Amino acid sequence: VNAFPSATTTYQLVCTDTLTGCVGLDSVTIVVDSLPAIQVILTPDTTLCIGDTLQLNAIAGLASYAWNPGTGLSSASIANPLAWPSVNTTYTLQVTNGNGCMGNDTVQIGRSIVSLAVSAMDTFVCYGNTDTLLANGNFGGGTPVWTPNIWINTTSGALVEVTPLASTWYMASVTDTFGCSATDSIFSQVDSLALNFAIVPGDTTVC
């Protein structure tokens, strides 16, 4: 006889001798080990910024832990490894208790790919002239913001125009929908020849 109890159950066997009518009794208790739910404390699934590390947590005290894949983890065989996957990764954790019963759970760790790089149309800007600055990259749903707010036509957007009256560092930053950010800056150098130009000698009268 095969038994598949869903909870701890005591089975009783009654045997009757067909010749004498004697009855024999015996019983057996099958204990069902209800493995606790694996508590991977990540609610909801998490997206990491570039360079960030996250600690994964499962309940302690079980006989064994096996995380798969093991890449991007400080250890694949402990309850609470550090995780820093380089790409979006779904980790599966299989645990075994002291009675050999197994359970598993999964957690998804995303990786933000927000990026930003700033370029300019011109290397030098003549005094009084306008230059165009461009932010390129993966903005992840965000909008570049520029600083400082001086000699610039707008502080928001991928493309801005600047008319600096002095050489100035302009910085662009962007934050994606996960709160991860990227920044870059560019030096807008003003050629001040127009300010220093003068004819020598000055006005004069010639006979």
Side-chain angles (χ1 to χ4, degrees):
V1 176
N2 295 321
F4 305 97
S6 59
T8 298
T9 305
T10 298
Y11 294 95
Q12 188 178 65
L13 175 65
V14 179
C15 298
T16 302
D17 190 321
T18 57
L19 295 177
T20 64
C22 295
V23 177
L25 300 175
D26 198 4
S27 63
V28 62
T29 299
I30 298 178
V31 178
V32 176
D33 189 345
S34 56
L35 184 69
I38 303 170
Q39 300 169 0
V40 178
I41 308 174
L42 292 172
T43 308
D45 296 335
T46 301
T47 296
L48 299 181
C49 301
I50 296 174
D52 283 356
T53 298
L54 179 70
Q55 186 168 41
L56 306 179
N57 291 287
I59 57 174
L62 298 176
S64 68
Y65 300 84
W67 295 88
N68 184 53
T71 54
L73 296 178
S74 59
S75 173
S77 58
I78 62 175
N80 54 349
L82 297 176
W84 58 87
S86 58
V87 296
N88 296 343
T89 303
T90 298
Y91 288 105
T92 299
L93 172 60
Q94 184 176 82
V95 297
T96 306
N97 69 5
N99 295 320
C101 296
M102 295 186 297
N104 61 75
D105 196 12
T106 60
V107 63
Q108 294 181 351
I109 306 298
R111 173 63 74 178
S112 169
I113 56 173
V114 62
S115 62
L116 183 146
V118 174
S119 61
M121 295 293 292
D122 299 304
T123 305
F124 293 91
V125 183
C126 294
Y127 182 86
N129 286 0
T130 297
D131 193 13
T132 299
L133 306 183
L134 180 63
N136 289 297
N138 187 328
F139 303 151
T143 301
V145 177
W146 298 80
T147 57
N149 184 13
I150 182 173
W151 303 317
I152 188 170
N153 69 325
T154 180
T155 58
S156 179
L159 188 148
V160 298
E161 293 182 342
V162 296
T163 311
L165 302 183
S167 296
T168 305
W169 278 101
Y170 287 99
M171 184 177 72
S173 62
V174 65
T175 301
D176 67 11
T177 55
F178 301 109
C180 301
S181 61
T183 62
D184 194 19
S185 59
I186 194 167
F187 187 62
S188 185
Q189 187 167 349
V190 175
D191 189 334
S192 58
L193 175 64
L195 295 178
N196 300 324
F197 181 80
I199 298 176
V200 178
D203 295 342
T204 185
T205 298
V206 178
C207 296

